[in-house]
Amino acid sequence: MTLFTTSPEVAGALENGTPVVALESTIITHGMPYPQNLEVARQVEGDIRKGGAVPATMAVIDGVLHVGLTDAQLEALAQSKKVAKLSRADMAVCMATGGTGATTVAATMIAARIAGISVFATGGIGGVHKGAEHSFDISADLLELAQTPVTVVAAGAKAILDIPKTLEVLETQGVPVIAYGQDDMPAFWSRSAGMTAPLRMDHAADIAAAHLQRAALGLPGGQLVVNPLPEADEIDRATLAPIIAQATQDAETHGISGKGVTPYLLQRIFELTDGRSLTANIALVRNNARLAAQIAAELGTRATDA
Ligand code: PSU
Ligand code: MN
């Protein structure tokens, strides 16, 4: 039984030491509408190539975990309405039963680890939802960061989450949260969540060095790099706050729970902002892809030096 299959391009890169950046697929299937999702998936792969790295988008297709997708596979995922959303809990079941599913941050980290990829770019990670003291809704992404040694570049935790609680869980779990180039914690669509991030680094080389340092110390788990989106694309916090409150209220009214919560909120905020949230989402994913490519390149240089 083959555990996973690597595309020829990714396999070649891993063999030659060309930097590789992992990408998730839930953002394509559950995070953005068609056809923008397909366009963005292609653009992000292009951004990584321009940065001198090779993209490895992950998905389970007919029971096989794919590390690196063809354009036809990307297109099929982007159009399908029946694809499962796979986190740590469902990945093995999906593979064992020949299913097809898109990988979340948690599942993409698992895939990256077994494929030997150290850097992963996404939009925003899952976290502790508002009202988690009642719903217990805490994303498996946080616990994955605590145990799987991948550096994840995100634009912060989505503002639909309880960001202080998300930071508390990450601290308890020993996950470094490193703001790139600023003191403030970014909040996905906004450059600041109105609080300071636990750590700050200004250079991709330092982030790569910290990744290797964790490994040298024998620490399990990864790093979360939070990268503020470009100023031109941000939606400020004050504008967003009532929209998020409305979307959260609507989710409750409609009894949305479990895996459905994040996709529902993203879609509802898209409607309530007349599409502006999607423009910001696209800009921030691409911005993260560029930084991830730089970190992967630095990691390559240092790993050979060592
Ligand atoms: N970031 C985005 N769009 C998304 C997600 C992240 O810009 O759709 C997805 C990621 O796959 C993340 C997941 O892992 O949402 C979190 O889902 P949950 O809150 O159910 O754990
Ligand atoms: Mn959840």
Side-chain angles (χ1 to χ4, degrees):
M1 194 178 75
T2 19
L3 184 56
F4 63 99
T5 171
T6 311
S7 72
E9 189 191 11
V10 174
L14 289 170
E15 218 175 283
N16 311 329
T18 306
V20 178
V21 173
L23 293 168
E24 61 154 307
S25 45
T26 295
I27 190 170
I28 304 171
T29 57
H30 294 71
M32 292 182 189
Y34 180 81
Q36 288 96 330
N37 59 352
L38 177 60
E39 199 182 312
V40 176
R42 287 174 174 154
Q43 282 170 342
V44 169
E45 290 204 346
D47 292 330
I48 288 171
R49 288 202 175 89
K50 264 186 237 142
V54 169
T57 304
M58 312 289 188
V60 175
I61 301 172
D62 298 330
V64 178
L65 172 58
H66 286 258
V67 177
L69 301 180
T70 63
D71 195 65
Q73 287 168 330
L74 266 189
E75 187 159 354
L77 277 180
Q79 289 192 22
S80 173
K81 298 249 176 286
K82 296 176 308 206
V83 179
K85 174 179 162 185
L86 304 179
S87 189
R88 165 172 278 258
D90 1 59
M91 202 173 178
V93 169
C94 181
M95 291 171 72
T97 53
T100 293
T103 54
T104 58
V105 168
T108 304
M109 289 180 75
I110 295 170
R113 173 181 54 77
I114 60 179
I117 300 169
S118 302
V119 183
F120 161 27
T122 183
I125 58 154
V128 180
H129 277 266
K130 293 179 197 286
E133 60 275 34
H134 304 295
S135 67
F136 278 45
D137 189 349
I138 300 177
S139 177
D141 292 351
L142 302 183
L143 299 174
E144 203 60 52
L145 279 160
Q147 58 185 313
T148 301
V150 174
T151 288
V152 179
V153 183
K158 291 183 202 84
I160 55 178
L161 302 167
D162 186 322
I163 296 177
K165 286 196 182 76
T166 300
L167 290 176
E168 289 294 347
V169 171
L170 288 167
E171 188 194 277
T172 303
Q173 296 289 331
V175 178
V177 178
I178 305 162
Y180 180 67
Q182 69 177 27
D183 292 331
D184 276 17
M185 176 74 192
F188 200 71
W189 300 285
S190 318
R191 285 172 60 86
S192 171
M195 67 198 78
T196 304
L199 298 161
R200 170 183 176 157
M201 283 182 155
D202 291 354
H203 306 286
D206 293 341
I207 297 168
H211 178 104
L212 294 172
Q213 193 67 61
R214 271 188 85 82
L217 288 168
L219 295 174
Q223 311 191 103
L224 177 61
V225 176
V226 287
N227 184 26
L229 86 167
E231 224 166 307
D233 301 295
E234 86 162 327
I235 310 177
D236 68 70
R237 250 185 319 138
T239 310
L240 218 46
I243 291 171
I244 288 168
Q246 169 81 53
T248 310
Q249 179 61 52
D250 293 348
E252 209 166 294
T253 308
H254 289 91
I256 312 290
S257 65
K259 283 167 180 284
V261 174
T262 297
Y264 177 89
L265 291 175
L266 289 174
Q267 171 61 27
R268 196 69 192 104
I269 291 166
F270 170 71
E271 292 160 11
L272 293 168
T273 58
D274 295 319
R276 240 183 105 195
S277 67
L278 181 60
T279 312
N281 200 339
I282 294 169
L284 66 85
V285 182
R286 298 188 65 181
N287 193 44
N288 295 343
R290 290 186 288 266
L291 177 57
Q294 282 178 42
I295 298 168
E298 291 292 345
L299 213 45
T301 326
R302 278 159 190 272
T304 9
D305 287 353

